Amino acid sequence: MNTPRYTPLITSLPATTPFVGPEVQERARGRAFAARLGANENVFGPSPKAIKAMQDAVPETWMYGDSASHDLREALAAHHGVTMDNIVIGAGIDGLLGSLVRMTVAQGDRVVTSAGAYPTFNYHVNGFGGELVQVPFRNDHEDPHALIAKATEVEAKLVYLANPDNPMGTWHSAEMVSDMIDRLPDGCLLVLDEAYVEFAPEGTAPPINGDDPRVIRMRTFSKAYGMAGARVGAAIGHKGLIDSFAKVRDHFGMSRISQAGALAALLDQDYLQQTLAKVATARDRISDIARTNGLMPLPSATNFVTIDCGRDGDFARAVVAEMIERDIFIRMPFTAPEDRCIRISAGTPADLDLLETTLPAALDAARNKSV
Amino acid sequence: MNTPRYTPLITSLPATTPFVGPEVQERARGRAFAARLGANENVFGPSPKAIKAMQDAVPETWMYGDSASHDLREALAAHHGVTMDNIVIGAGIDGLLGSLVRMTVAQGDRVVTSAGAYPTFNYHVNGFGGELVQVPFRNDHEDPHALIAKATEVEAKLVYLANPDNPMGTWHSAEMVSDMIDRLPDGCLLVLDEAYVEFAPEGTAPPINGDDPRVIRMRTFSKAYGMAGARVGAAIGHKGLIDSFAKVRDHFGMSRISQAGALAALLDQDYLQQTLAKVATARDRISDIARTNGLMPLPSATNFVTIDCGRDGDFARAVVAEMIERDIFIRMPFTAPEDRCIRISAGTPADLDLLETTLPAALDAARNKSV
């Protein structure tokens, strides 16, 4: 008998990584990126008040973080008009999705998402032996009607919707999402990933109702609040569901420094507004650069712009490769026909200067290679 | 049908918390602790170099952390004389134990540990539906012979040993642990939790052999390196086992700030030695205070001293309650007969001044309540 003995499920899983990180790519290339525009990080960074709060917390990191994340949950509850009992904090949306899937998905249970939607959610579903059932995007949007129809058909335990969507940057109105919630089949929970919602127009997020057991909202400090490396996310939902996270979560797993930073970031809404303005300006400039190069930017409610390169996935993959070769880290959708696009995160003016000078040559090289 | 539908396993679990954190207690009391000596945190804190590295990393926390934790793994590999392929980084030993249990324990699989050993390990085993089989401590030590005998008898997939032990602070020699490894039944992995091993005498940790698939070593930056709130642990083992963590771990889950801090802390071994000296001094003083009060301190290879109060568990619980009432946060073992003891973490000289003045009154009060 070999040691260790893995579970049959674990033995069956591939050792996949949802994404290859930019540092991993840099080491493989032997060269640093000049602009980091591939992971939808927020180059404008955290609020100076959050930076100060984190730096002040560093000498106190000999203490475990508050296992209840009390102060952060209290502030989030006030911010969202719910109670603390409606909120659980975790290591980013990634960590919270893992806990949620573990709580609900046993082997063979079905889960519905969009083909090409967030791969880390799929990673968790596969990791707990769930059966992923995918519906296509429709006109570069996730398709609420198809998601509901499929969830009903396969009696899904979870249905996943990112609004706004990643990787396309498109979005649905709050009315559309509310309608989707109303049409959920019995016993199916909507996982509403709102990682990018702060960037979206007013009227994108439905009102949060802490009494509604049909939906769980995922929010993060990684995007608009500029703290991806701090690993702080929040799940907001019905008390019974939120309570259940206590059965599986890593109770002392939240960094003390990160908790302090997230609280200060949330309380600095002025800085958030400044960030949103900078991101909007960057989105406009990315779109302009795309059009100047004969490409078609999609409308975006996020901190990235997805750009239709007008040909097939092979061509877009070549563009991404040529950009990376030229030290600009970007990514692109995984599935056709969305993979005709490339995806570029909002950058600083200096980042976008580089984008502007690099994109024409990358496009030329890609065109020459894929005639 | 109710929403959400939990898995049968999750429905069966109690919403337990392995420990109640000190902040939770403080809010319940409505009063802060004057000394925080209950969670085996390291009051002497991280190296100044680690503090600087973390503070310098704060403005960069807009970037996700390196998903491979490359630099930290490289440094740990050099430190321990293994390769990077033998090391995976996780959110403390707690997080790594959760992943390991998930990889190996399916419902009904048996796992052996000591009654009264680390409850967070038990939490994970229960959380994945494993069957915990416990053997008693023997003379306030974990009992390698009994653990091996029980693991053999029940065909356990995992057997857990903390060396040095928590909550008793006792330890076994490297020879004893090596002998235990040699006597492991086929197919049983030794989970060797060495959270406290830096505090232990030379000759407590067996040599690390990256080619040995029978044992996985758990190390942490929470204890000797003074970074409990940063959540950095390392699992060291055979490449095949370490690779398998990629199937379940949260690939972008490590805080960028924490990774930077752990690397700097590891590289400042001089500071570690200073900490170890301060902890040794604190242990001696705690032991002296215990003896002055007619109690019996146990020898300790950790950063805490477990003290035999000479009566039963009810008395020790009363002592803990009276200490907490007097604003000194301490804890104690959970199971008899070890629960005749209280457990006090190494504190600053000021902390131990408070301990010295408070313990006599707490003991008097406990004696008066339990005559």
Side-chain angles (χ1 to χ4, degrees):
Chain A
M1 198 168 4
N2 287 323
T3 302
R5 288 179 281 161
Y6 301 104
T7 68
L9 172 61
I10 294 298
T11 302
S12 74
L13 293 175
T16 46
T17 302
F19 296 102
V20 180
E23 286 85 0
V24 174
Q25 294 186 47
E26 287 177 331
R27 285 188 293 269
R29 292 154 30 93
R31 204 162 77 243
F33 286 116
R36 186 165 159 132
L37 305 176
N40 301 340
E41 295 160 328
N42 176 346
V43 295
F44 305 109
S47 151
K49 291 176 183 169
I51 290 177
K52 179 171 190 311
M54 286 189 271
Q55 289 177 332
D56 288 351
V58 163
E60 297 181 353
T61 198
W62 63 268
M63 291 182 272
Y64 287 98
D66 176 13
S67 59
S69 297
H70 176 279
D71 296 350
L72 178 56
R73 282 168 56 232
E74 186 175 61
L76 279 166
H79 184 76
H80 292 299
V82 295
T83 74
M84 286 177 63
D85 290 340
N86 297 121
I87 301 176
V88 61
I89 304 298
I93 292 178
D94 285 1
L96 291 162
L97 288 174
S99 292
L100 177 68
V101 170
R102 177 176 164 195
M103 286 156 59
T104 53
V105 178
Q107 291 187 50
D109 284 345
R110 281 171 293 235
V111 172
V112 170
T113 185
S114 304
Y118 193 47
T120 304
F121 178 71
N122 300 357
Y123 169 79
H124 291 308
V125 173
N126 290 327
F128 287 99
E131 184 189 328
L132 270 176
V133 184
Q134 307 190 36
V135 303
F137 278 64
R138 182 184 175 88
N139 298 330
D140 297 326
H141 289 66
E142 295 195 36
D143 185 343
H145 296 288
L147 289 163
I148 289 290
K150 185 59 76 178
T152 306
E153 174 194 333
V154 303
E155 299 181 2
K157 281 186 147 181
L158 303 177
V159 58
Y160 175 90
L161 179 79
N163 192 48
D165 169 70
N166 174 26
M168 302 310 285
T170 54
W171 69 104
H172 291 290
S173 68
E175 290 69 31
M176 174 73 96
V177 178
S178 292
D179 178 64
M180 186 177 172
I181 295 170
D182 285 337
R183 299 191 309 114
L184 282 163
D186 253 17
C188 180
L189 179 72
L190 175 65
V191 184
L192 182 54
D193 184 340
E194 298 182 314
Y196 296 96
V197 79
E198 292 88 354
F199 300 112
E202 281 290 317
T204 301
I208 298 183
N209 175 1
D211 294 326
D212 190 342
R214 300 171 300 172
V215 56
I216 186 166
R217 318 282 285 256
M218 296 289 179
R219 300 290 181 101
T220 184
F221 287 87
S222 296
K223 302 299 179 187
Y225 292 101
M227 293 173 50
R231 314 311 303 131
V232 187
I236 312 175
H238 187 271
K239 178 182 188 309
L241 173 57
I242 297 303
D243 281 351
S244 294
F245 278 81
K247 297 181 174 186
V248 301
R249 75 183 186 92
D250 184 3
H251 289 266
F252 289 86
M254 286 304 303
S255 156
R256 192 172 186 96
I257 299 164
S258 298
Q259 290 191 49
L263 176 61
L266 182 71
L267 297 179
D268 192 355
Q269 291 289 314
D270 286 347
Y271 183 83
L272 175 68
Q273 291 306 321
Q274 294 170 36
T275 296
L276 299 184
K278 288 179 194 168
V279 166
T281 300
R283 274 194 316 230
D284 288 346
R285 184 157 173 222
I286 294 169
S287 300
D288 287 344
I289 293 169
R291 278 186 286 259
T292 300
N293 284 274
L295 311 179
M296 171 78 80
L298 274 60
S300 168
T302 66
N303 71 331
F304 58 86
V305 180
T306 300
I307 298 169
D308 185 344
C309 294
R311 293 171 63 172
D312 63 3
D314 286 341
F315 178 68
R317 275 183 286 278
V319 175
V320 169
E322 294 294 341
M323 291 292 283
I324 287 176
E325 177 63 30
R326 287 164 180 77
D327 299 341
I328 313 278
F329 168 53
I330 64 171
R331 285 191 178 131
M332 61 177 287
F334 294 106
T335 45
E338 295 79 29
D339 68 355
R340 71 191 191 283
C341 300
I342 60 175
R343 194 194 71 181
I344 301 179
S345 309
T348 62
D351 290 333
L352 300 190
D353 290 346
L354 277 176
L355 175 68
E356 188 162 26
T357 56
T358 306
L359 185 60
L363 283 168
D364 278 348
R367 285 182 187 121
N368 287 334
K369 282 190 181 162
S370 57
V371 280
Chain B
M1 197 168 5
N2 286 323
T3 301
R5 288 179 282 161
Y6 301 104
T7 68
L9 172 60
I10 295 298
T11 303
S12 75
L13 292 175
T16 46
T17 302
F19 296 101
V20 179
E23 285 85 0
V24 174
Q25 294 185 48
E26 287 176 332
R27 285 188 294 269
R29 293 153 28 92
R31 203 160 79 241
F33 286 117
R36 186 165 158 133
L37 305 175
N40 300 338
E41 294 160 329
N42 177 345
V43 295
F44 304 111
S47 150
K49 292 175 182 169
I51 289 176
K52 179 170 190 312
M54 286 188 271
Q55 289 177 332
D56 288 350
V58 164
E60 298 181 352
T61 199
W62 63 270
M63 291 182 272
Y64 287 99
D66 176 14
S67 58
S69 297
H70 175 278
D71 297 350
L72 178 56
R73 281 168 56 232
E74 187 174 61
L76 279 165
H79 184 76
H80 292 298
V82 295
T83 74
M84 286 178 63
D85 290 339
N86 297 121
I87 300 177
V88 62
I89 304 298
I93 292 178
D94 285 0
L96 291 162
L97 288 173
S99 292
L100 178 67
V101 170
R102 177 175 163 195
M103 288 156 59
T104 52
V105 178
Q107 291 186 50
D109 284 346
R110 280 169 293 234
V111 172
V112 170
T113 186
S114 303
Y118 192 47
T120 304
F121 178 70
N122 301 357
Y123 169 78
H124 291 309
V125 173
N126 290 328
F128 287 100
E131 183 189 329
L132 270 176
V133 184
Q134 307 191 36
V135 303
F137 277 64
R138 182 183 174 88
N139 297 329
D140 297 326
H141 290 67
E142 295 195 34
D143 185 343
H145 296 289
L147 288 164
I148 289 290
K150 186 58 76 178
T152 306
E153 175 194 333
V154 303
E155 299 181 2
K157 281 186 148 180
L158 302 176
V159 57
Y160 175 91
L161 179 79
N163 192 47
D165 169 71
N166 174 25
M168 302 310 285
T170 54
W171 68 104
H172 291 290
S173 69
E175 291 69 31
M176 174 72 97
V177 178
S178 292
D179 178 64
M180 186 176 172
I181 295 170
D182 286 337
R183 298 192 308 113
L184 282 162
D186 253 16
C188 180
L189 179 72
L190 175 64
V191 184
L192 183 54
D193 184 341
E194 298 182 315
Y196 296 95
V197 79
E198 292 88 353
F199 301 111
E202 281 290 316
T204 301
I208 298 183
N209 176 2
D211 295 325
D212 190 341
R214 300 171 300 173
V215 57
I216 187 165
R217 317 281 285 257
M218 296 289 180
R219 298 291 180 99
T220 185
F221 287 87
S222 297
K223 302 300 178 185
Y225 292 101
M227 293 173 51
R231 313 312 304 132
V232 187
I236 311 175
H238 187 270
K239 176 182 188 310
L241 173 57
I242 296 303
D243 282 350
S244 295
F245 278 80
K247 297 181 174 186
V248 300
R249 76 183 186 91
D250 184 4
H251 289 267
F252 289 85
M254 286 303 303
S255 157
R256 192 173 186 95
I257 299 164
S258 298
Q259 290 191 48
L263 176 61
L266 182 71
L267 297 179
D268 192 355
Q269 291 289 313
D270 286 348
Y271 182 82
L272 175 68
Q273 292 306 320
Q274 295 170 36
T275 296
L276 299 183
K278 288 179 194 167
V279 167
T281 300
R283 275 194 315 231
D284 287 347
R285 184 157 174 222
I286 295 169
S287 299
D288 286 345
I289 292 168
R291 278 185 287 259
T292 300
N293 284 275
L295 310 179
M296 169 77 79
L298 273 60
S300 167
T302 66
N303 71 331
F304 59 87
V305 180
T306 300
I307 298 168
D308 185 344
C309 293
R311 294 171 61 173
D312 64 4
D314 287 341
F315 178 68
R317 276 183 285 278
V319 175
V320 168
E322 295 294 342
M323 291 292 283
I324 285 175
E325 176 64 29
R326 287 164 179 77
D327 299 341
I328 314 277
F329 170 52
I330 65 171
R331 286 190 177 132
M332 61 176 290
F334 294 105
T335 44
E338 294 78 31
D339 68 353
R340 71 191 191 283
C341 300
I342 60 174
R343 194 195 70 181
I344 301 179
S345 308
T348 62
D351 290 332
L352 301 190
D353 289 347
L354 276 176
L355 175 68
E356 188 162 26
T357 56
T358 306
L359 184 59
L363 283 168
D364 278 349
R367 285 184 187 119
N368 287 336
K369 284 193 179 160
S370 57
V371 280

